[in-house]
Structure formats: structure tokens, C-alpha cells
């Protein structure tokens, strides 16, 4: 995963029928890459565990993924308690794994 960048995530985001995406420990993915993911309306499972460059601001944009059923954010330094509360409020049907 160390070779996956925001550009690569941009290419992945063109796969609009994708329902699950695991980007665990992708050390080069930044908030800009998350913006691409927000267009993936069919995404149901997303793991961003261990992605060190993601910020609370970028992660908060994931509320656009209304069909998300599971979101894993373990070991994400940018994830705060306030972010988890925000995500739980805006994605009530989503299991958010802290």
C-alpha cells in the first residue's frame, strides 16, 4: 500500500459499482484522495485504518457516502473524538470502527 497515492485513488474512484474498498496503511493517501472517494455512491465498506496523512477535515467529507455501512478509522492520527461524534451523527446507519 505504500505506493498508492491520491492519483491512484482517483483512478479507483472511477469504479462506480465498487461496494468495498480497503486502503489500510496507505501512507501516501491524503485528504485530496478522499475527495475522489466521495463520488463513489455505491461504496458500503471503507477501511482507512492506519492512514497517517488524513486529517479530521478530510475525513469529515465522508458523510457524503450515504450508503456506507462500515467505516474503519483505527490508527488514524487525524481522527478525533469530535470527528467520530460528527460521523455518527451524519451517518447513523454506518458502523464506525474507532
Amino acid at each position: 500500500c505504500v505506493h498508492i497515492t491520491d492519483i491512484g485513488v482517483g483512478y479507483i474512484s472511477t469504479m462506480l459499482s465498487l461496494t468495498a474498498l480497503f486502503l489500510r496503511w496507505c501512507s501516501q493517501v491524503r485528504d485530496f484522495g478522499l475527495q475522489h472517494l466521495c463520488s463513489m455512491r455505491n461504496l458500503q465498506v471503507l477501511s482507512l485504518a492506519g492512514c497517517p496523512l488524513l486529517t479530521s477535515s478530510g475525513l469529515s467529507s465522508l458523510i457524503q457516502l450515504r450508503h456506507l455501512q462500515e467505516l474503519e478509522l483505527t490508527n488514524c492520527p487525524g481522527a478525533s473524538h469530535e470527528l467520530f461524534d460528527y460521523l455518527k451523527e451524519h451517518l447513523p446507519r454506518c458502523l464506525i470502527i474507532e
Side-chain angles (χ1 to χ4, degrees):
C1 268
V2 296
H3 299 294
I4 295 177
T5 64
D6 293 340
I7 294 170
V9 173
Y11 286 117
I12 291 171
S13 71
T14 64
M15 301 169 62
L16 298 178
S17 60
L18 199 67
T19 59
L21 181 59
F22 298 88
L23 294 173
R24 292 183 175 138
W25 303 102
C26 291
S27 57
Q28 294 189 55
V29 175
R30 300 175 184 270
D31 292 347
F32 181 72
L34 289 185
Q35 294 304 313
H36 294 296
L37 295 181
C38 291
S39 65
M40 301 180 74
R41 302 292 182 207
N42 291 318
L43 208 55
Q44 296 175 13
V45 177
L46 177 61
S47 175
L48 298 169
C51 294
L53 301 179
L54 301 178
T55 68
S56 284
S57 176
L59 291 166
S60 67
S61 67
L62 296 175
I63 64 165
Q64 298 173 58
L65 298 172
R66 295 290 178 198
H67 291 95
L68 211 56
Q69 296 174 7
E70 183 177 306
L71 175 60
E72 183 183 18
L73 297 176
T74 55
N75 297 305
C76 283
S80 63
H81 291 294
E82 293 81 14
L83 172 71
F84 288 122
D85 291 342
Y86 179 78
L87 291 172
K88 288 175 184 175
E89 179 183 339
H90 289 87
L91 295 171
R93 291 181 296 250
C94 182
L95 170 63
I96 299 171
I97 303 169
E98 302 178 34

